[in-house]
Amino acid sequence: MRAADFEEFAATRWQRLVRTAYLLTGDHHEAEDVVQATFAKVFRNWSRISRLDEPDAYVRRALVNNNLSRHRRRRVRQLLVPVLPDRADAGGGHRGLEERPALLAALAELPPRQRAVVVLRYWEDLGEARVAEVLGCSVGNVKSQASRGLAKLRVHPALAAHAAATGTAVDDTEGERR
């Protein structure tokens, strides 16, 4: 029964975890690899993990840790492709889709830990305490990493050019578009 439970868990979380991993890695194929490696590690201990109050938090933390380990092992920066692998409908109402390549390019230049904080805090919409728990650090560290990461994103040439062209900017207090 444990394999069936795990299969259901993995199937329902796959897309969200791949999206998160894509923001962390900048590459769709690597994102899938990181999620797959995370699921392989989680499966070995699924009987224990499935009994946790929040197995999703455990898996998210494992995903971030796997990505950080992957980055440490490789020590190579990768360039993001200018074209995203998934396309939205022209009339689909996906506001901000055109700024994605600039944002992904800017994210790619953040150090891995800052990138993880920014992704978890602003894309996954986790609170500071939750991000600290996932990354195994203090709330103060999350705040400083988020602050530094957002500061770098604000002055990144690709985002500055896009902001100038569209008349948008990053709000200093919440990191939201205005």
Side-chain angles (χ1 to χ4, degrees), residues 94-164:
H94 298 304
R95 209 177 118 214
L97 189 61
E98 67 280 352
E99 70 189 16
R100 251 178 157 181
L103 186 56
L104 290 172
L107 274 173
E109 293 183 23
L110 292 179
R113 196 80 169 171
Q114 266 180 17
R115 186 176 184 168
V117 167
V118 169
V119 167
L120 292 173
R121 181 76 178 98
Y122 300 104
W123 270 273
E124 289 291 318
D125 199 26
L126 299 180
E128 291 164 340
R130 192 73 159 133
V131 173
E133 182 183 321
V134 168
L135 296 178
C137 64
S138 69
V139 172
N141 186 271
V142 168
K143 288 179 180 183
S144 66
Q145 292 291 330
S147 176
R148 289 183 192 125
L150 289 175
K152 287 180 183 178
L153 292 176
R154 283 184 195 103
V155 298
H156 190 276
L159 290 178
H162 180 77

Side-chain angles (χ1 to χ4, degrees), residues 150 153-154 159 163 168-178:
L150 289 175
L153 292 176
R154 283 184 195 103
L159 290 178
T168 61
V170 176
D171 184 319
D172 289 344
T173 57
E174 293 296 320
E176 297 173 0
R177 306 303 272 176
R178 59 178 157 122

